Structures are given as C-alpha cells and as structure tokens.
Amino acid sequence: MARGGRGRHLGLALGLLLALLLAPPALWAKPTVRKERVVRPDSDLGERPAEDNQSFQYDHEAFLGKEDSKTFDQLTSEESKERLGKIVDRIDSDGDGFVTTEELKTWIKRVQKRYIYDNVAKVWKDYDRDKDDKISWEEYKQATYGYYLGNPTEFQDTSDHHTFKKMLPRDERRFKAADLDSDQTATREEFTAFLHPEEFEHMKEIVVLETLEDIDKNGDGFVDQDEYIADMFSHEESGPEPDWVLSEREQFNEFRDLNKDGKLDKDEIRHWILPQDYDHAQAEARHLVYESDKNKDEKLTKEEILDNWNMFVGSQATNYGEDLTKNHDEL
C-alpha cells in the first residue's frame, strides 16, 4: 500500500489508487447507467428451484458455496463423508455435539460471503505492519493516508485534497464502529466489518449514514428526488430522460418516500438500501434440519448429517474441509 519513502510518485499513485478503491462509488466518476445501492445479504443464495428436489444442487451450493460445490465431483463417497465430518465439527460452534438450525444458518451465511474473508486475507499483510495479527487505526491510517499526511502541500491545489480530507475522518468513524471492544485495534473479524460494513448487522447504521452523505449534495440531512436520481444518472446531454430514470422517479414517489414529504430521511434510506427480504439462509437451514433430523429433536448429530451426506455435499469433491482446518482457522 502507499508508503512514504518509496518514491514520491509511486507513493502518491498507490495512495490515490487505494483511496479510490476504498472510497464509495459516489466519489468516482458519475455513471450514465443505473447504480445499485440496495444491499442484499446472501445475494448468491436465491430462491430454491422447484426442480432441484432430487439433485440437491441448491443444498450443495448453499452449504459449500458455488465454487467448492463444483469441485466435489472428484471425490469418492468415503472421501466426501470424511471431509463433511470436518465441516460438521466447525459448524458445531459450542462443541455440544449437536448442530442447531441457528448454527447451520450462521454457517450458510458465512459460506455465502466467504469471498469477503478471502479479500481481507489477501490485504491483511499490507496493513498489519508490526505482524501482531491485529491492525491498529494508526497502522491503517499510515498505510492508506501516510503519503498524504506526510506531504500535505502536494495536495493543496488538487481535488485529491478534498477527497483525502473527507475520507480520513470517515474511515476513522467507520473503524471505531467496527472496533467492538474499543481498543483502537481491529481483529480479522473487526477489520472485515470495517472493509465490508454492509455484511454486518452492527455496521448497518454506518452504511445508511455514508449513503446519506454520498447522495445529500445540499447538506440538509435528507435526500430529495433530484439527488436520488443524480446518484444513479448523469444527464450530460439535453433531451428526454431514459425510461428507467422516469421509472425510478415513480419508485421514489411511491415506494421510497414513505411519509410523502418529498425527501428521504435516514429511516427511509434504511428501508430502501437494507430491505428486510426473505431470509434464504434461515429457510435452507430449516430445510436441512427437517430432512436429516431422524429423531425429530430439532437438532442434528454428526451421525444424522453423515447419514444424509448426499444432501449436504453429494458425491462431489472439494478441499474445503482441509481448507477450513488449515487456512481459515483465523477467520
């Protein structure tokens, strides 16, 4: 990441690139097409197909993730069961010998957003400068803004000065929200919440606030219809608006502006970008328990899961069990 002392131009370029990558979309060039603001957790886990009752493909993708479910084809049934057993041990978070619906739901949600943990693992060393397996606010600030802070005069007459000046306190506010124990350092889970706040319940208010700040150009604390449209569409040429923009104006009036005062407050923004949709992970967890719970005590033993192994993993292949025990213990 951006480090002072490694060359002025290289440090500046890296610093600017990182800031832009971490910045919200509203700080990039305005799009001329629709921008998606709505956050949909478990977006890869859609509705269960009606025709999947026999193949268990939906169950496999929910339980393992799409990529790992594809690689299961190379294993024998014995190998699949062995690796499934390793996964069951990880799912049983309290170690009581049973897998509950809640534990399964937590697992499925984690699998569906595994990509974010992989992303954090890839960048972790760039921020953990003292290699103590934690990232302090100072470490993050120096890695991201060090060149800017050390060479402020180079930014005085550029638009980047405004960008850095805005993003630094914003990042610090988000870091504090992710830092649940308030020790000014982030564990891997806390740093994941910092980089991907939309995936964590306790960060949802930050997502709402940052969205409001991005779109609210006149600074009145609300989002009016023109600001709402401007966030999605840049009308650079004269002429009529595209049909989808007209449709979005109708959406604003009919469904976004709940109290019909012509603008969106924080509650209305939350309702817009964080919809309370059907919980696919919960439904899948209940399904797996129902189909495998032989004694109907509403929880699963490892034996019950292994007896119904074909529903969970099939005769497919993965290094997922080994991957979990070797590479992802820290997550």
Side-chain angles (χ1 to χ4, degrees):
M1 298 295 107
R3 299 172 186 261
R6 296 191 67 180
R8 286 180 56 190
H9 299 296
L10 176 61
L12 176 60
L14 290 174
L16 289 175
L17 175 61
L18 180 60
L20 287 172
L21 288 173
L22 295 177
L27 293 181
W28 306 343
K30 284 188 176 181
T32 56
V33 295
R34 183 193 305 265
K35 176 188 294 181
E36 180 60 61
R37 282 275 181 188
V38 179
V39 175
R40 296 189 183 279
D42 310 319
S43 58
D44 286 340
L45 191 59
E47 298 287 349
R48 170 184 291 278
E51 66 277 6
D52 191 49
N53 293 333
Q54 299 302 320
S55 72
F56 303 131
Q57 180 180 350
Y58 181 93
D59 299 302
H60 299 165
E61 291 183 358
F63 188 73
L64 296 167
K66 287 186 177 180
E67 292 305 313
D68 287 298
S69 67
K70 291 177 183 177
T71 61
F72 250 72
D73 284 333
Q74 305 307 315
L75 290 187
T76 65
S77 60
E78 289 76 16
E79 290 171 325
S80 291
K81 290 178 184 179
E82 179 184 354
R83 296 188 182 185
L84 174 58
K86 294 179 182 180
I87 295 175
V88 172
D89 291 338
R90 294 297 302 270
I91 298 174
D92 180 17
S93 57
D94 59 8
D96 67 351
F98 297 97
V99 170
T100 64
T101 300
E102 188 64 26
E103 286 173 327
L104 260 179
K105 183 184 79 169
T106 299
W107 172 262
I108 291 169
K109 283 182 175 289
R110 186 181 182 85
V111 166
Q112 295 307 310
K113 60 183 181 182
R114 185 183 175 198
Y115 76 94
I116 71 171
Y117 291 99
D118 289 343
N119 171 260
V120 171
K122 289 175 183 176
V123 303
W124 182 264
K125 64 180 182 300
D126 295 321
Y127 298 105
D128 183 18
R129 293 184 163 190
D130 61 8
K131 309 305 178 186
D132 65 348
D133 208 34
K134 295 182 291 185
I135 295 173
S136 68
W137 166 246
E138 284 300 316
E139 284 179 309
Y140 175 80
K141 183 174 72 173
Q142 288 304 314
T144 307
Y145 299 100
Y147 190 86
Y148 164 70
L149 294 172
N151 303 272
T153 57
E154 294 189 22
F155 295 84
Q156 291 302 319
D157 299 323
T158 68
S159 60
D160 299 316
H161 172 67
H162 175 73
T163 299
F164 279 109
K165 189 175 182 180
K166 176 181 178 181
M167 290 302 299
L168 179 56
R170 177 165 161 152
D171 273 356
E172 184 172 16
R173 181 182 65 193
R174 188 195 284 191
F175 193 95
K176 288 179 178 179
D179 179 20
L180 291 177
D181 57 5
S182 302
D183 64 352
Q184 298 186 359
T185 62
T187 63
R188 287 180 183 263
E189 188 75 4
E190 289 172 334
F191 197 63
T192 303
F194 169 68
L195 291 183
H196 300 274
E198 70 283 353
E199 300 287 352
F200 292 82
E201 192 62 37
H202 68 281
M203 298 294 289
K204 296 296 176 66
E205 291 307 309
I206 285 290
V207 175
V208 172
L209 180 57
E210 291 181 359
T211 300
L212 172 60
E213 292 172 346
D214 289 345
I215 306 176
D216 176 24
K217 300 306 181 185
N218 63 15
D220 66 350
F222 299 93
V223 173
D224 61 36
Q225 187 184 105
D226 287 339
E227 290 170 330
Y228 174 82
I229 295 299
D231 181 59
M232 304 177 184
F233 176 70
S234 179
H235 205 171
E236 298 175 350
E237 300 178 2
S238 59
E241 292 179 333
D243 289 343
W244 72 263
V245 174
L246 298 177
S247 176
E248 281 294 341
R249 290 191 182 277
E250 294 177 2
Q251 287 281 321
F252 182 93
N253 292 329
E254 295 181 20
F255 302 108
R256 309 286 185 238
D257 182 17
L258 300 177
N259 61 8
K260 308 305 178 185
D261 65 351
K263 55 190 178 183
L264 307 184
D265 58 25
K266 286 184 181 179
D267 287 338
E268 289 168 321
I269 291 173
R270 185 182 301 105
H271 187 269
W272 162 36
I273 68 171
L274 300 171
Q276 298 300 309
D277 286 343
Y278 177 74
D279 192 335
H280 296 290
Q282 175 76 20
E284 175 63 11
R286 288 175 176 171
H287 168 72
L288 290 172
V289 170
Y290 178 80
E291 294 293 339
S292 307
D293 184 17
K294 289 184 176 180
N295 62 5
K296 302 305 176 185
D297 61 353
E298 299 183 349
K299 54 188 177 182
L300 302 179
T301 63
K302 179 185 285 190
E303 181 180 4
E304 286 176 319
I305 293 174
L306 293 179
D307 283 346
N308 199 24
W309 66 276
N310 197 47
M311 172 169 281
F312 287 85
V313 297
S315 58
Q316 303 165 31
T318 191
N319 292 325
Y320 197 61
E322 293 179 1
D323 185 42
L324 283 170
T325 55
K326 292 181 180 178
N327 299 330
H328 286 264
D329 283 333
E330 72 274 14
L331 293 182

